[in-house]
Amino acid sequence: MTGKPVLLTPEAWEEKKKTQGEATTACQMLCNPAAGQQAMFKVEHLKYIDIRPATVNIYIMCDPAQSRTKGSDNTAIAVIAYDAARNMYLRDGYHHKMKLNERRGALNTLRRHWCRQPGVQGVHVGYERYGMQSDMEYFEEQMRLPQNEAFPITELAWPNEGPGAKYDRIQRLYPQFSHGKFYLPLKSEGETTNQRRAREEGQGFRVITPTKRRDHEGNLYVMGDNFVTEYLVYPFAVHDDLLDATSRIYDM
């Protein structure tokens, strides 16, 4: 990776590494997958922010885990805010083992909450196809009940194996990270200057704080922390469901 390029200019070589990521570059440009045997994402690409833009679109993507056994994947529901400059912000979600009715309740709760937020121009929900057929039958049945709200759910249909499998899905995020266009909630002691100013100007809805949830065993977790845990060791992470759910924004 650090060698002198022969068939490319030094500038073109640096651009290849930046836009494709080291794992892809090692395979396609060096014909040596071992040259990219390291974490795909870099800690220096992590960005944090304390307020969001005034107007955003919200994407809610669910990667369901059918099993609740110990060691199995978690259900990952990533809520991403997307602005006019094509920046992404991890704003909300869930990341623990959930039953079918809990997944439905979580999607309903998230959609209802974000539809009511000022500056949100649209809220879109997506669900992974390979957990979708049986789940959708249940969701549609529940939506027909008078007390429940009906809303469209986009089928997220990239395959689990072969070209376009999970590894290919997740590495689509690399340019977003490397170009500094993906933001996590800033963790701070008390209110920041930006947050205080936003509240004073009547725009408290722009304030970003870390999302905290309780898992199926009642333990407290922070969505941003779980995201970073997967991010720092991918593709060698034991679980990568939250990264995968986030990558599904490209399918919407």
PDB file of all heavy atoms in Angstrom, residues 66 98-105 127 131 134-136 138-139:
ATOM      1  N   GLN A  66     -33.510 -13.064  13.651  1.00  0.00           N
ATOM      2  CA  GLN A  66     -34.635 -13.932  13.983  1.00  0.00           C
ATOM      3  C   GLN A  66     -34.415 -14.678  15.296  1.00  0.00           C
ATOM      4  O   GLN A  66     -35.353 -15.098  15.937  1.00  0.00           O
ATOM      5  CB  GLN A  66     -34.866 -14.928  12.840  1.00  0.00           C
ATOM      6  CG  GLN A  66     -35.112 -14.281  11.494  1.00  0.00           C
ATOM      7  CD  GLN A  66     -36.380 -13.452  11.460  1.00  0.00           C
ATOM      8  OE1 GLN A  66     -37.297 -13.679  12.229  1.00  0.00           O
ATOM      9  NE2 GLN A  66     -36.426 -12.468  10.570  1.00  0.00           N
ATOM     10  N   MET A  98     -34.640  -8.628  19.802  1.00  0.00           N
ATOM     11  CA  MET A  98     -36.028  -8.186  19.878  1.00  0.00           C
ATOM     12  C   MET A  98     -36.951  -9.244  19.287  1.00  0.00           C
ATOM     13  O   MET A  98     -36.623  -9.883  18.284  1.00  0.00           O
ATOM     14  CB  MET A  98     -36.221  -6.865  19.116  1.00  0.00           C
ATOM     15  CG  MET A  98     -35.276  -5.753  19.519  1.00  0.00           C
ATOM     16  SD  MET A  98     -35.418  -4.258  18.496  1.00  0.00           S
ATOM     17  CE  MET A  98     -36.825  -3.473  19.284  1.00  0.00           C
ATOM     18  N   LYS A  99     -38.109  -9.400  19.897  1.00  0.00           N
ATOM     19  CA  LYS A  99     -39.152 -10.249  19.334  1.00  0.00           C
ATOM     20  C   LYS A  99     -39.837  -9.499  18.188  1.00  0.00           C
ATOM     21  O   LYS A  99     -39.676  -8.292  18.031  1.00  0.00           O
ATOM     22  CB  LYS A  99     -40.176 -10.607  20.419  1.00  0.00           C
ATOM     23  CG  LYS A  99     -39.610 -11.422  21.573  1.00  0.00           C
ATOM     24  CD  LYS A  99     -40.684 -11.667  22.615  1.00  0.00           C
ATOM     25  CE  LYS A  99     -40.128 -12.457  23.802  1.00  0.00           C
ATOM     26  NZ  LYS A  99     -41.141 -12.638  24.880  1.00  0.00           N
ATOM     27  N   LEU A 100     -40.630 -10.237  17.413  1.00  0.00           N
ATOM     28  CA  LEU A 100     -41.293  -9.648  16.261  1.00  0.00           C
ATOM     29  C   LEU A 100     -42.174  -8.464  16.659  1.00  0.00           C
ATOM     30  O   LEU A 100     -42.126  -7.404  16.027  1.00  0.00           O
ATOM     31  CB  LEU A 100     -42.127 -10.717  15.541  1.00  0.00           C
ATOM     32  CG  LEU A 100     -42.957 -10.251  14.337  1.00  0.00           C
ATOM     33  CD1 LEU A 100     -42.087  -9.570  13.294  1.00  0.00           C
ATOM     34  CD2 LEU A 100     -43.702 -11.438  13.730  1.00  0.00           C
ATOM     35  N   ASN A 101     -42.984  -8.639  17.708  1.00  0.00           N
ATOM     36  CA  ASN A 101     -43.860  -7.536  18.116  1.00  0.00           C
ATOM     37  C   ASN A 101     -43.056  -6.350  18.649  1.00  0.00           C
ATOM     38  O   ASN A 101     -43.477  -5.195  18.526  1.00  0.00           O
ATOM     39  CB  ASN A 101     -44.865  -8.010  19.163  1.00  0.00           C
ATOM     40  CG  ASN A 101     -44.212  -8.414  20.472  1.00  0.00           C
ATOM     41  OD1 ASN A 101     -43.201  -9.119  20.461  1.00  0.00           O
ATOM     42  ND2 ASN A 101     -44.755  -7.972  21.591  1.00  0.00           N
ATOM     43  N   GLU A 102     -41.862  -6.614  19.201  1.00  0.00           N
ATOM     44  CA  GLU A 102     -41.011  -5.523  19.674  1.00  0.00           C
ATOM     45  C   GLU A 102     -40.415  -4.756  18.495  1.00  0.00           C
ATOM     46  O   GLU A 102     -40.276  -3.527  18.556  1.00  0.00           O
ATOM     47  CB  GLU A 102     -39.903  -6.081  20.574  1.00  0.00           C
ATOM     48  CG  GLU A 102     -40.416  -6.655  21.874  1.00  0.00           C
ATOM     49  CD  GLU A 102     -39.342  -7.391  22.664  1.00  0.00           C
ATOM     50  OE1 GLU A 102     -38.378  -7.879  22.038  1.00  0.00           O
ATOM     51  OE2 GLU A 102     -39.468  -7.485  23.902  1.00  0.00           O
ATOM     52  N   ARG A 103     -40.078  -5.456  17.423  1.00  0.00           N
ATOM     53  CA  ARG A 103     -39.574  -4.775  16.226  1.00  0.00           C
ATOM     54  C   ARG A 103     -40.650  -3.882  15.629  1.00  0.00           C
ATOM     55  O   ARG A 103     -40.378  -2.740  15.230  1.00  0.00           O
ATOM     56  CB  ARG A 103     -39.081  -5.804  15.194  1.00  0.00           C
ATOM     57  CG  ARG A 103     -37.872  -6.612  15.647  1.00  0.00           C
ATOM     58  CD  ARG A 103     -37.174  -7.264  14.485  1.00  0.00           C
ATOM     59  NE  ARG A 103     -37.930  -8.311  13.836  1.00  0.00           N
ATOM     60  CZ  ARG A 103     -37.904  -9.599  14.198  1.00  0.00           C
ATOM     61  NH1 ARG A 103     -37.175  -9.977  15.234  1.00  0.00           N
ATOM     62  NH2 ARG A 103     -38.608 -10.507  13.545  1.00  0.00           N
ATOM     63  N   ARG A 104     -41.876  -4.406  15.561  1.00  0.00           N
ATOM     64  CA  ARG A 104     -42.976  -3.591  15.042  1.00  0.00           C
ATOM     65  C   ARG A 104     -43.187  -2.352  15.919  1.00  0.00           C
ATOM     66  O   ARG A 104     -43.331  -1.231  15.419  1.00  0.00           O
ATOM     67  CB  ARG A 104     -44.272  -4.398  14.988  1.00  0.00           C
ATOM     68  CG  ARG A 104     -45.449  -3.612  14.398  1.00  0.00           C
ATOM     69  CD  ARG A 104     -46.769  -4.310  14.667  1.00  0.00           C
ATOM     70  NE  ARG A 104     -47.101  -4.270  16.072  1.00  0.00           N
ATOM     71  CZ  ARG A 104     -47.693  -3.237  16.685  1.00  0.00           C
ATOM     72  NH1 ARG A 104     -47.983  -2.146  16.007  1.00  0.00           N
ATOM     73  NH2 ARG A 104     -47.978  -3.294  17.964  1.00  0.00           N
ATOM     74  N   GLY A 105     -43.180  -2.552  17.230  1.00  0.00           N
ATOM     75  CA  GLY A 105     -43.373  -1.429  18.132  1.00  0.00           C
ATOM     76  C   GLY A 105     -42.267  -0.400  18.009  1.00  0.00           C
ATOM     77  O   GLY A 105     -42.516   0.811  18.058  1.00  0.00           O
ATOM     78  N   TYR A 127     -36.879  -2.295   5.491  1.00  0.00           N
ATOM     79  CA  TYR A 127     -36.775  -3.555   6.243  1.00  0.00           C
ATOM     80  C   TYR A 127     -36.073  -4.576   5.381  1.00  0.00           C
ATOM     81  O   TYR A 127     -36.383  -4.733   4.190  1.00  0.00           O
ATOM     82  CB  TYR A 127     -38.178  -4.038   6.610  1.00  0.00           C
ATOM     83  CG  TYR A 127     -38.247  -4.943   7.818  1.00  0.00           C
ATOM     84  CD1 TYR A 127     -38.336  -4.415   9.100  1.00  0.00           C
ATOM     85  CD2 TYR A 127     -38.247  -6.321   7.678  1.00  0.00           C
ATOM     86  CE1 TYR A 127     -38.425  -5.244  10.210  1.00  0.00           C
ATOM     87  CE2 TYR A 127     -38.331  -7.155   8.777  1.00  0.00           C
ATOM     88  CZ  TYR A 127     -38.422  -6.605  10.042  1.00  0.00           C
ATOM     89  OH  TYR A 127     -38.495  -7.428  11.152  1.00  0.00           O
ATOM     90  N   GLY A 131     -35.664 -11.067   6.147  1.00  0.00           N
ATOM     91  CA  GLY A 131     -36.473 -11.254   7.335  1.00  0.00           C
ATOM     92  C   GLY A 131     -37.847 -10.674   7.124  1.00  0.00           C
ATOM     93  O   GLY A 131     -38.628 -10.557   8.037  1.00  0.00           O
ATOM     94  N   SER A 134     -42.320 -13.033   6.285  1.00  0.00           N
ATOM     95  CA  SER A 134     -43.187 -13.419   7.393  1.00  0.00           C
ATOM     96  C   SER A 134     -43.445 -12.235   8.314  1.00  0.00           C
ATOM     97  O   SER A 134     -44.561 -12.066   8.823  1.00  0.00           O
ATOM     98  CB  SER A 134     -42.556 -14.574   8.177  1.00  0.00           C
ATOM     99  OG  SER A 134     -41.296 -14.192   8.683  1.00  0.00           O
ATOM    100  N   ASP A 135     -42.425 -11.388   8.510  1.00  0.00           N
ATOM    101  CA  ASP A 135     -42.594 -10.221   9.375  1.00  0.00           C
ATOM    102  C   ASP A 135     -43.608  -9.256   8.783  1.00  0.00           C
ATOM    103  O   ASP A 135     -44.442  -8.691   9.493  1.00  0.00           O
ATOM    104  CB  ASP A 135     -41.262  -9.501   9.570  1.00  0.00           C
ATOM    105  CG  ASP A 135     -40.280 -10.298  10.416  1.00  0.00           C
ATOM    106  OD1 ASP A 135     -40.583 -11.471  10.709  1.00  0.00           O
ATOM    107  OD2 ASP A 135     -39.224  -9.755  10.778  1.00  0.00           O
ATOM    108  N   MET A 136     -43.557  -9.048   7.463  1.00  0.00           N
ATOM    109  CA  MET A 136     -44.443  -8.097   6.825  1.00  0.00           C
ATOM    110  C   MET A 136     -45.900  -8.529   6.909  1.00  0.00           C
ATOM    111  O   MET A 136     -46.805  -7.701   7.028  1.00  0.00           O
ATOM    112  CB  MET A 136     -44.037  -7.888   5.373  1.00  0.00           C
ATOM    113  CG  MET A 136     -42.934  -6.865   5.183  1.00  0.00           C
ATOM    114  SD  MET A 136     -43.343  -5.247   5.887  1.00  0.00           S
ATOM    115  CE  MET A 136     -44.773  -4.826   4.894  1.00  0.00           C
ATOM    116  N   TYR A 138     -47.231  -9.995   9.381  1.00  0.00           N
ATOM    117  CA  TYR A 138     -47.644  -9.580  10.722  1.00  0.00           C
ATOM    118  C   TYR A 138     -47.818  -8.063  10.788  1.00  0.00           C
ATOM    119  O   TYR A 138     -48.799  -7.561  11.350  1.00  0.00           O
ATOM    120  CB  TYR A 138     -46.610 -10.040  11.743  1.00  0.00           C
ATOM    121  CG  TYR A 138     -46.839  -9.514  13.137  1.00  0.00           C
ATOM    122  CD1 TYR A 138     -47.879 -10.016  13.929  1.00  0.00           C
ATOM    123  CD2 TYR A 138     -46.018  -8.517  13.667  1.00  0.00           C
ATOM    124  CE1 TYR A 138     -48.090  -9.528  15.205  1.00  0.00           C
ATOM    125  CE2 TYR A 138     -46.223  -8.032  14.941  1.00  0.00           C
ATOM    126  CZ  TYR A 138     -47.266  -8.540  15.706  1.00  0.00           C
ATOM    127  OH  TYR A 138     -47.471  -8.052  16.969  1.00  0.00           O
ATOM    128  N   PHE A 139     -46.853  -7.311  10.210  1.00  0.00           N
ATOM    129  CA  PHE A 139     -46.943  -5.843  10.229  1.00  0.00           C
ATOM    130  C   PHE A 139     -48.228  -5.367   9.539  1.00  0.00           C
ATOM    131  O   PHE A 139     -48.927  -4.487  10.049  1.00  0.00           O
ATOM    132  CB  PHE A 139     -45.734  -5.223   9.525  1.00  0.00           C
ATOM    133  CG  PHE A 139     -44.435  -5.402  10.244  1.00  0.00           C
ATOM    134  CD1 PHE A 139     -43.226  -5.190   9.601  1.00  0.00           C
ATOM    135  CD2 PHE A 139     -44.394  -5.793  11.580  1.00  0.00           C
ATOM    136  CE1 PHE A 139     -42.017  -5.351  10.258  1.00  0.00           C
ATOM    137  CE2 PHE A 139     -43.196  -5.969  12.246  1.00  0.00           C
ATOM    138  CZ  PHE A 139     -42.001  -5.753  11.588  1.00  0.00           C
TER     139      PHE A 139
END
